[in-house]
Amino acid sequence: MKKRVALIVLDSAGIGYLPDAAEFGDVGANTICNIYHTRGKLHVPNMTKLGLANIDGCTLPKSDDPIIGAYGKCAEKTHAKDTTCGHWEMAGYSLEKPFLTYPNGFPRKFLDAF
């Protein structure tokens, strides 16, 4: 029997910040839980069944139903703010140097070339 894995990556749906968050201005980041607390609800029953509400740092209501998946969160090895670094690491490749980020927008020289 072949073993299979379904890996779900939800971009821009973070569930807590990393220990180095202060270096990137991300302290308090927790998109999933902040959506829940702002709206007062977040209806994601299948993700709850997979274990979403049981991830460390998650403040979503837990279900009494049995968990049918494996769940967790991880941190990148690459010291970076860039989500793409994390995606690359999930595929097995760690960067020695993170991608550049542009918190104040792309430089004019880049935009002109584009």
Side-chain angles (χ1 to χ4, degrees), residues 70-87:
Y71 58 88
K73 67 179 181 180
C74 56
E76 302 99 325
K77 289 172 67 175
T78 305
H79 185 74
K81 179 181 176 77
D82 193 347
T83 302
T84 307
C85 294
H87 293 175

Side-chain angles (χ1 to χ4, degrees), residues 38-112:
T38 299
R39 296 184 69 227
K41 62 182 176 181
L42 183 63
H43 186 67
V44 288
N46 290 329
M47 293 186 64
T48 301
K49 288 179 188 175
L50 291 170
L52 177 68
N54 294 74
I55 294 174
D56 285 346
C58 183
T59 55
L60 297 175
K62 293 183 177 29
S63 172
D64 292 331
D65 295 333
I67 303 300
I68 61 170
Y71 58 88
K73 67 179 181 180
C74 56
E76 302 99 325
K77 289 172 67 175
T78 305
H79 185 74
K81 179 181 176 77
D82 193 347
T83 302
T84 307
C85 294
H87 293 175
W88 284 31
E89 288 182 18
M90 284 186 278
Y93 184 80
S94 294
L95 298 170
E96 291 182 24
K97 182 178 175 187
F99 296 117
L100 296 176
T101 58
Y102 303 96
N104 298 312
F106 291 108
R108 173 57 42 199
K109 183 177 178 181
F110 174 83
L111 292 174
D112 289 344

